[in-house]
Amino acid sequence: MRKPLILVVLVAVAAAAAVLVAIAFAAIAPTPTLRADTGTAAGSGPQSGPSTAPLDPNAPVVAFYGDSYTLGTGASDPALRWSSVISAERGWNEFNPSVNGLGFVNNRASTPPDYSASDEVSQVIAADPDIVFITMGLNDNFSMPQRADDIRSAIRTDFSTLRTELPEARIVVVEPFWYTDARPDSVEQIIGWVHDEADAIGADYIAGASHWIEGHPEWMAADGLHPNDAGYAAMATRMNEELARLGL
């Protein structure tokens, strides 16, 4: 009868030891931290969002007002999105609060000119950048033609607000990106409105961006909607060519 009792004691001791080891490991193991820019656990996968730690306090701050194509959705790492590539090459301090699905009226935190603090325009102004990139318009195609007047009005208000609030900033407006070879008529309509308002505020304008990944299915991520690493690299190459033309 003593052998079963000894076996029970040994099992209990082993279980207690395992608990102690687990507690000790938990005490020394690093706890995942939340990134302020995304609310996701560091190390849990590709991260995106505003870059808040400056590379150099004397380097230009460059803000990017955009949607998923500027956020870098589809890239394996945010460092490979086109905005981060060109910023790293130029030593810019990148501020990128871009949002998936964002348009001048689509998926927006507020309605211009009643901007909330979380609206991208408000965030860009608060960053007090030296250069502002505007890369918006793709998602508004999904609200055309029903909200055509609202879209055009929002473009005008956004652009004029950024120019008024950031009088010293250089503003670079990029032709709205597009993601398929098929192009509804609304694509050209929105491109025209964006170009007109860029001219109205004296911004630099980069034409042709809606065609940059056209005809290259190998540049698309598995979702079929966003560029992959190769696609963003191609976009960075084209953007660099255009920025060289502008002297940036």
Side-chain angles (χ1 to χ4, degrees):
M1 296 296 296
R2 294 181 60 85
K3 288 184 179 180
L5 178 61
I6 293 172
L7 180 59
V8 169
V9 171
L10 289 175
V11 169
V13 170
V19 170
L20 290 174
V21 169
I23 293 172
F25 179 80
I28 63 173
T31 301
T33 56
L34 294 181
R35 292 169 53 101
D37 54 0
T38 63
T40 54
S44 63
Q47 310 286 329
S48 300
S51 300
T52 56
L55 303 173
D56 177 348
N58 298 315
V61 173
V62 182
F64 294 84
Y65 172 26
D67 52 36
S68 58
Y69 272 54
T70 301
L71 177 65
T73 302
S76 63
D77 189 282
L80 300 178
R81 62 188 177 187
W82 68 265
S83 62
S84 295
V85 170
I86 67 169
S87 295
E89 291 174 350
R90 289 165 174 77
W92 289 344
N93 294 324
E94 178 188 8
F95 178 76
N96 189 341
S98 298
V99 174
N100 282 321
L102 189 69
F104 289 108
V105 301
N106 282 41
N107 194 31
R108 189 126 189 208
S110 56
T111 303
D114 299 319
Y115 296 104
S116 69
S118 60
D119 194 280
E120 270 197 59
V121 169
S122 300
Q123 293 185 59
V124 166
I125 292 169
D128 192 24
D130 300 283
I131 302 171
V132 177
F133 280 78
I134 302 175
T135 60
M136 292 278 290
L138 187 159
N139 291 296
D140 294 292
N141 285 278
F142 307 118
S143 293
M144 288 286 285
Q146 294 85 356
R147 300 195 65 188
D149 291 343
D150 293 337
I151 294 166
R152 190 166 193 178
S153 176
I155 295 169
R156 181 179 298 115
T157 303
D158 281 358
F159 283 33
S160 61
T161 299
L162 288 166
R163 172 48 70 213
T164 300
E165 297 297 324
L166 300 169
E168 303 301 320
R170 185 167 184 177
I171 299 178
V172 180
V173 177
V174 180
E175 178 181 292
F177 299 126
W178 188 242
Y179 71 107
T180 63
D181 294 351
R183 297 164 66 89
D185 293 342
S186 59
V187 172
E188 296 304 329
Q189 286 181 288
I190 294 173
I191 286 173
W193 298 338
V194 167
H195 196 172
D196 288 347
E197 298 309 322
D199 288 345
I201 65 168
D204 294 305
Y205 184 76
I206 293 177
S210 65
H211 295 282
W212 283 359
I213 59 173
E214 190 175 79
H216 288 278
E218 74 278 12
W219 289 351
M220 299 301 287
D223 65 6
L225 301 174
H226 299 95
N228 56 21
D229 292 346
Y232 282 115
M235 292 173 72
T237 296
R238 293 297 300 272
M239 193 67 73
N240 275 326
E241 292 171 356
E242 295 296 330
L243 296 182
R245 179 179 59 81
L246 297 175
L248 282 170

